[in-house]
Amino acid sequence: MQRAIVTSAAAQPKPDLGKFLATGGVSQVEGAGGGGITPWALISGYGTRDSWSANAHYTYVDTQDYKLNSYGVAVGIADRLEISLAKQEFKGSLAPLNLLNIKQDILGLKLKVAGDAVYEQDNWMPQVAIGVLYKRNKGIGGLGALGVTNVKQLGAKDDHGYDYYVAATKILFEQSLLLNGTLRATRANQMGLLGFGGDKGDSQRLMPEVSAAYLVNRKLAVGAEYRRKPHNLGVDNEKAYYDAFVAWFPSKNFSVTAAYAELGDITIFNPKKQHGLYLSLQAGF
């Protein structure tokens, strides 16, 4: 009996960190594995098909008038399934929104369905994954004096919703290049921070997202991303997000991503294009 227990324990898969450095991506601002603002088809972490992995992230975005904090965890299972959980906190710094505080919880699932971005170098087909992000807005703080405590009071139809996406990622090792395209069905306003749907539209709309990264060496990557957004709210002249980033992978247990991000307008109460620093730290095994 004791021998059987020992044998069974030894057979359990353990984190093996077997994937190539940087092929786990970083933690996207909504918690999924990918770039900074868009999910990729890569499964988060460095566990191979015989293993699993887990990581935690903290992301800070600072524009002229707003700050966004995002933190969470992600688990990759058998390089096939990814489960992520993230919390976002959005704050204002310019009157009349200087007391603004919005929180949101995000639960994500991603499943690799075809291809392999690393090992199928002689095949034109990219790695393909499908995913879903369930988002729940926790309400609006700091605007009680204006009578606003919920995103529905800004015109949003709901305070919760789903993003569905399909992502395709191709790594070209000979060219030191990663290419990704994501198509997202969403009705989220500013990722859901301003709710879901609105007076200008309430249906799921397909939004394209693209990323490209160049591997300067095995520990350093530079790239850019673009993410188109819907425009559902009259009080929010929502525009596309895009960024230029540098990601450093000193080891498989830690990474740092820095970017210059353009987030467009946030609300008509402050009709100024928002841009600034994006910094993300990720640690895992």
Side-chain angles (χ1 to χ4, degrees):
M1 176 68 71
Q2 185 177 6
R3 181 181 300 175
I5 293 175
V6 172
T7 302
S8 176
Q12 295 299 315
K14 298 180 180 180
D16 58 13
L17 297 177
K19 290 162 62 176
F20 291 116
L21 187 65
T23 59
V26 297
S27 292
Q28 184 252 352
V29 72
E30 293 155 300
I37 59 175
T38 186
W40 297 347
L42 304 177
I43 300 299
S44 184
Y46 289 97
T48 65
R49 67 185 63 182
D50 300 315
S51 180
W52 62 281
S53 60
N55 62 59
H57 82 274
Y58 171 73
T59 299
Y60 174 74
V61 183
D62 184 14
T63 70
Q64 310 99 297
D65 305 314
Y66 302 99
K67 292 178 174 60
L68 174 67
N69 292 284
S70 172
Y71 55 94
V73 295
V75 177
I77 302 172
D79 197 29
R80 174 71 61 177
L81 176 66
E82 175 185 296
I83 305 171
S84 61
L85 178 64
K87 290 181 176 290
Q88 294 180 331
E89 184 175 15
F90 182 76
K91 296 182 177 182
S93 59
L94 181 69
L97 304 179
N98 53 304
L99 299 178
L100 177 67
N101 189 314
I102 302 174
K103 296 181 179 180
Q104 178 171 239
D105 294 339
I106 304 174
L107 174 64
L109 293 174
K110 183 197 299 182
L111 178 66
K112 181 171 73 173
V113 295
D116 192 297
V118 175
Y119 295 106
E120 296 184 359
Q121 291 294 299
D122 58 346
N123 192 333
W124 63 267
M125 183 175 179
Q127 180 168 316
V128 179
I130 55 175
V132 58
L133 297 168
Y134 171 70
K135 306 176 179 181
R136 176 166 287 277
N137 190 289
K138 307 295 284 186
I140 299 176
L143 299 184
L146 301 178
V148 178
T149 60
N150 189 283
V151 290
K152 294 182 181 180
Q153 294 171 297
L154 296 177
K157 296 296 184 181
D158 293 298
D159 61 5
H160 64 280
Y162 294 88
D163 283 3
Y164 305 94
Y165 65 87
V166 57
T169 305
K170 185 67 177 176
I171 298 177
L172 305 169
F173 278 123
E174 288 190 8
Q175 290 77 26
S176 300
L177 193 63
L178 179 148
L179 301 174
N180 179 83
T182 298
L183 191 62
R184 183 191 303 242
T186 182
R187 51 194 285 269
N189 310 316
Q190 301 292 353
M191 298 186 293
L193 291 167
L194 296 183
F196 303 82
D199 53 302
K200 287 184 172 294
D202 189 34
S203 60
Q204 295 277 355
R205 298 176 59 190
L206 291 176
M207 298 285 114
E209 306 173 14
V210 294
S211 304
Y214 177 74
L215 301 174
V216 179
N217 55 49
R218 44 189 307 272
K219 293 187 176 184
L220 187 67
V222 298
E225 300 178 285
Y226 170 86
R227 173 174 171 176
R228 190 172 177 184
K229 311 289 296 309
H231 181 197
N232 298 321
L233 286 177
V235 299
D236 175 27
N237 188 24
E238 191 165 6
K239 301 294 185 181
Y241 293 166
Y242 56 93
D243 68 32
F245 66 85
V246 177
W248 179 46
F249 303 89
S251 74
K252 293 182 180 179
N253 301 111
F254 185 71
S255 69
V256 181
T257 304
Y260 172 83
E262 284 279 357
L263 305 181
D265 301 348
I266 302 297
T267 72
I268 60 173
F269 304 113
N270 180 15
K272 184 192 302 181
K273 293 187 181 300
Q274 299 296 313
H275 52 81
L277 172 69
Y278 173 108
L279 180 65
S280 183
L281 308 177
Q282 178 180 284
F285 57 86

